Amino acid sequence: MEFKRYVKISSGIILIFPIVLLVLAAVAWSQNVFTGIVYLAIGIIQLVGMALIFPRISKEEDLWELGNKCVQHNWIVLSLGLTGCAMFLAPFFTEGVGTAVPYVAFAVCLVTLLWSIFNLYKAVREAKARLIV
């Protein structure tokens, strides 16, 4: 599979997870506003970060530039995935939300974190992209 097609498919799949996080934000909001705000912030930034990759790569033909843009967007998702993994199981954010919601949010962020790491690896390996933003 060519790299540009891979980036589009993997970015489209990663877009599903912030949407799940936004649904969890709505569920958590009614029980703990602060937890809902954190879920909402992380979900929106991940969603926007991955949604903006599509117009940026649509007309890109240079493989190196395509890889660099992939790295930029995946760093955003990776850093927020790490933030979610660190925060969602903290006692302050689990208070009053129930038991399942923080664990599902943690799993969602863990998946986006791992997938972004793999995308970074693939961009460096196939497109010779830089790992700096």
Coordinates of all heavy atoms in Angstrom, one line a residue, residues 72-115:
Q72 N 3.8 15.5 12.2 CA 3.3 16.6 12.9 C 1.9 16.3 13.6 O 1.7 16.5 14.8 CB 3.1 17.9 12.0 CG 4.4 18.5 11.6 CD 4.3 19.5 10.5 OE1 3.2 19.8 10.1 NE2 5.4 20.1 10.1
H73 N 1.1 15.7 12.8 CA -0.3 15.4 13.3 C -0.3 14.3 14.3 O -1.0 14.3 15.2 CB -1.2 15.2 12.1 CG -1.5 16.4 11.3 ND1 -2.6 17.3 11.7 CD2 -0.9 16.9 10.3 CE1 -2.6 18.3 10.8 NE2 -1.6 18.1 10.0
N74 N 0.6 13.3 14.0 CA 0.6 12.2 15.0 C 1.3 12.5 16.3 O 1.0 11.9 17.3 CB 1.3 11.0 14.3 CG 0.3 10.2 13.4 OD1 -0.6 9.5 13.9 ND2 0.4 10.4 12.1
W75 N 2.2 13.5 16.3 CA 2.8 14.0 17.5 C 1.7 14.6 18.4 O 1.7 14.5 19.6 CB 3.9 15.0 17.3 CG 5.2 14.4 17.3 CD1 6.1 14.6 16.2 CD2 5.9 13.7 18.2 NE1 7.3 13.9 16.5 CE2 7.2 13.4 17.8 CE3 5.6 13.2 19.5 CZ2 8.1 12.6 18.5 CZ3 6.5 12.5 20.2 CH2 7.8 12.2 19.7
I76 N 0.8 15.4 17.8 CA -0.3 16.0 18.5 C -1.2 14.9 19.2 O -1.5 15.0 20.4 CB -1.2 16.9 17.6 CG1 -0.4 18.1 17.2 CG2 -2.5 17.3 18.3 CD1 -1.1 18.9 16.1
V77 N -1.6 13.9 18.4 CA -2.4 12.9 18.9 C -1.7 12.0 20.0 O -2.2 11.7 21.0 CB -2.9 12.0 17.8 CG1 -3.6 10.7 18.3 CG2 -3.8 12.7 16.9
L78 N -0.4 11.8 19.7 CA 0.4 11.0 20.7 C 0.5 11.8 22.0 O 0.3 11.2 23.1 CB 1.8 10.8 20.1 CG 2.7 9.9 20.9 CD1 3.5 9.0 20.0 CD2 3.6 10.7 21.8
S79 N 0.8 13.0 22.0 CA 1.0 13.8 23.2 C -0.3 13.9 24.0 O -0.3 13.8 25.3 CB 1.5 15.2 23.0 OG 0.6 15.9 22.2
L80 N -1.4 14.0 23.3 CA -2.7 14.1 24.0 C -3.2 12.7 24.5 O -3.9 12.6 25.5 CB -3.8 14.8 23.2 CG -3.5 16.3 23.1 CD1 -4.3 16.9 22.0 CD2 -3.9 16.9 24.4
G81 N -2.8 11.7 23.8 CA -3.1 10.3 24.2 C -2.3 10.0 25.5 O -2.9 9.4 26.4
L82 N -1.1 10.5 25.6 CA -0.3 10.3 26.8 C -0.9 11.1 27.9 O -1.0 10.6 29.1 CB 1.2 10.7 26.5 CG 2.1 10.4 27.6 CD1 2.2 9.0 27.9 CD2 3.5 11.0 27.3
T83 N -1.4 12.3 27.6 CA -2.0 13.1 28.7 C -3.3 12.4 29.2 O -3.5 12.3 30.4 CB -2.4 14.5 28.1 OG1 -1.2 15.1 27.6 CG2 -3.1 15.3 29.1
G84 N -4.1 11.9 28.3 CA -5.3 11.1 28.7 C -4.9 9.9 29.5 O -5.6 9.6 30.6
C85 N -3.9 9.1 29.1 CA -3.5 8.0 29.9 C -3.1 8.3 31.3 O -3.3 7.6 32.2 CB -2.4 7.2 29.1 SG -3.0 6.3 27.7
A86 N -2.4 9.5 31.4 CA -1.9 9.9 32.7 C -3.0 10.4 33.6 O -2.9 10.3 34.8 CB -0.8 10.9 32.5
M87 N -4.0 11.1 33.0 CA -5.0 11.8 33.8 C -6.3 11.0 34.1 O -6.9 11.1 35.2 CB -5.4 13.1 33.1 CG -4.3 14.1 33.1 SD -4.7 15.6 32.3 CE -5.9 16.3 33.4
F88 N -6.7 10.2 33.2 CA -8.1 9.6 33.3 C -8.3 8.7 34.4 O -9.4 8.5 34.9 CB -8.5 9.0 31.9 CG -8.7 10.0 30.8 CD1 -8.6 9.6 29.5 CD2 -9.0 11.3 31.1 CE1 -8.8 10.5 28.5 CE2 -9.2 12.2 30.1 CZ -9.1 11.8 28.8
L89 N -7.2 8.0 34.9 CA -7.3 7.1 36.0 C -6.9 7.7 37.3 O -6.9 7.1 38.3 CB -6.5 5.8 35.7 CG -7.0 5.0 34.6 CD1 -6.2 3.7 34.4 CD2 -8.5 4.6 34.8
A90 N -6.6 9.0 37.3 CA -6.2 9.7 38.5 C -7.5 9.9 39.4 O -8.6 10.0 38.9 CB -5.7 11.1 38.2
P91 N -7.3 9.8 40.7 CA -8.5 9.9 41.6 C -9.4 11.1 41.4 O -10.6 11.0 41.6 CB -7.8 9.9 43.0 CG -6.5 9.3 42.8 CD -6.0 9.7 41.4
F92 N -8.8 12.2 41.1 CA -9.7 13.4 40.9 C -10.6 13.3 39.8 O -11.8 13.7 39.8 CB -8.8 14.7 40.7 CG -9.6 15.9 40.5 CD1 -10.2 16.6 41.5 CD2 -9.8 16.4 39.2 CE1 -10.9 17.7 41.4 CE2 -10.6 17.5 39.0 CZ -11.1 18.2 40.1
F93 N -10.2 12.6 38.7 CA -11.0 12.5 37.5 C -11.9 11.2 37.5 O -12.8 11.1 36.6 CB -10.2 12.5 36.2 CG -9.5 13.8 36.1 CD1 -8.1 13.9 36.3 CD2 -10.1 14.9 35.7 CE1 -7.5 15.1 36.2 CE2 -9.5 16.1 35.5 CZ -8.2 16.2 35.7
T94 N -11.7 10.4 38.5 CA -12.6 9.2 38.6 C -13.7 9.4 39.6 O -14.6 8.6 39.7 CB -11.8 7.9 38.9 OG1 -11.1 8.1 40.2 CG2 -10.8 7.6 37.8
E95 N -13.6 10.5 40.4 CA -14.5 10.7 41.5 C -15.9 11.0 40.9 O -16.1 12.0 40.1 CB -14.1 11.9 42.3 CG -14.9 12.2 43.5 CD -14.7 11.1 44.6 OE1 -13.6 10.5 44.7 OE2 -15.6 10.8 45.3
G96 N -16.9 10.2 41.2 CA -18.3 10.5 40.9 C -18.6 10.1 39.4 O -19.7 10.3 39.0
V97 N -17.7 9.6 38.7 CA -18.0 9.3 37.3 C -18.4 7.8 37.1 O -19.0 7.5 36.1 CB -16.7 9.6 36.4 CG1 -16.9 9.3 35.0 CG2 -16.3 11.0 36.6
G98 N -18.1 7.0 38.0 CA -18.4 5.6 37.9 C -17.1 4.8 37.6 O -16.0 5.4 37.6
T99 N -17.2 3.6 37.4 CA -16.0 2.8 37.2 C -15.7 2.5 35.7 O -14.5 2.5 35.4 CB -16.1 1.4 37.9 OG1 -17.3 0.8 37.4 CG2 -16.2 1.6 39.4
A100 N -16.6 2.4 34.9 CA -16.3 2.0 33.5 C -15.8 3.2 32.6 O -14.9 3.0 31.8 CB -17.6 1.5 32.8
V101 N -16.3 4.4 32.8 CA -16.0 5.5 32.0 C -14.5 5.9 32.0 O -13.9 6.0 30.9 CB -16.9 6.8 32.3 CG1 -16.4 8.0 31.5 CG2 -18.3 6.5 32.1
P102 N -13.8 6.0 33.1 CA -12.4 6.3 33.1 C -11.6 5.2 32.4 O -10.6 5.5 31.7 CB -12.0 6.4 34.6 CG -13.3 6.7 35.3 CD -14.3 6.0 34.5
Y103 N -12.0 3.9 32.6 CA -11.2 2.8 32.0 C -11.4 2.8 30.5 O -10.5 2.5 29.7 CB -11.6 1.5 32.6 CG -11.0 1.4 34.0 CD1 -11.8 1.5 35.1 CD2 -9.7 1.1 34.2 CE1 -11.3 1.4 36.4 CE2 -9.1 1.0 35.5 CZ -10.0 1.1 36.6 OH -9.4 1.0 37.8
V104 N -12.6 3.1 30.0 CA -12.8 3.2 28.6 C -12.1 4.3 28.0 O -11.4 4.2 26.9 CB -14.4 3.3 28.3 CG1 -14.6 3.5 26.8 CG2 -15.1 2.0 28.7
A105 N -12.1 5.5 28.7 CA -11.3 6.6 28.2 C -9.8 6.4 28.2 O -9.1 6.8 27.2 CB -11.6 7.9 29.1
F106 N -9.3 5.7 29.2 CA -7.9 5.3 29.2 C -7.6 4.4 28.0 O -6.6 4.6 27.3 CB -7.6 4.6 30.5 CG -6.2 4.0 30.6 CD1 -5.2 4.9 30.9 CD2 -6.0 2.7 30.3 CE1 -3.9 4.4 31.0 CE2 -4.7 2.2 30.4 CZ -3.6 3.1 30.7
A107 N -8.5 3.4 27.8 CA -8.3 2.5 26.6 C -8.3 3.2 25.3 O -7.5 2.9 24.4 CB -9.3 1.4 26.7
V108 N -9.2 4.2 25.1 CA -9.3 4.9 23.9 C -8.0 5.7 23.7 O -7.4 5.7 22.6 CB -10.5 5.9 23.9 CG1 -10.4 6.9 22.9 CG2 -11.8 5.1 23.8
C109 N -7.5 6.4 24.8 CA -6.2 7.1 24.6 C -5.0 6.2 24.4 O -4.1 6.6 23.7 CB -6.0 8.0 25.9 SG -7.1 9.4 25.8
L110 N -5.1 5.0 25.0 CA -4.0 4.1 24.8 C -3.9 3.6 23.4 O -2.8 3.5 22.8 CB -4.1 2.9 25.8 CG -3.0 1.9 25.8 CD1 -1.7 2.6 26.3 CD2 -3.3 0.8 26.7
V111 N -5.0 3.4 22.8 CA -5.1 3.0 21.4 C -4.5 4.1 20.5 O -3.7 3.8 19.6 CB -6.5 2.5 21.0 CG1 -6.6 2.3 19.5 CG2 -6.9 1.3 21.7
T112 N -5.0 5.3 20.7 CA -4.5 6.4 19.9 C -3.0 6.6 20.1 O -2.3 7.0 19.1 CB -5.3 7.7 20.1 OG1 -5.2 8.1 21.5 CG2 -6.7 7.6 19.7
L113 N -2.6 6.5 21.3 CA -1.1 6.6 21.6 C -0.3 5.6 20.9 O 0.7 5.9 20.2 CB -0.9 6.5 23.1 CG 0.5 6.4 23.7 CD1 1.1 7.8 23.7 CD2 0.5 5.8 25.0
L114 N -0.7 4.3 21.0 CA 0.1 3.3 20.3 C 0.0 3.4 18.8 O 1.0 3.2 18.1 CB -0.4 1.9 20.8 CG -0.2 1.6 22.3 CD1 -0.8 0.3 22.6 CD2 1.3 1.6 22.6
W115 N -1.2 3.7 18.3 CA -1.3 3.9 16.8 C -0.5 5.0 16.3 O 0.1 4.9 15.2 CB -2.8 4.0 16.4 CG -3.1 3.7 15.0 CD1 -2.4 4.0 13.9 CD2 -4.2 2.9 14.6 NE1 -3.0 3.4 12.8 CE2 -4.1 2.8 13.2 CE3 -5.2 2.3 15.3 CZ2 -5.0 2.1 12.5 CZ3 -6.2 1.6 14.5 CH2 -6.0 1.5 13.1

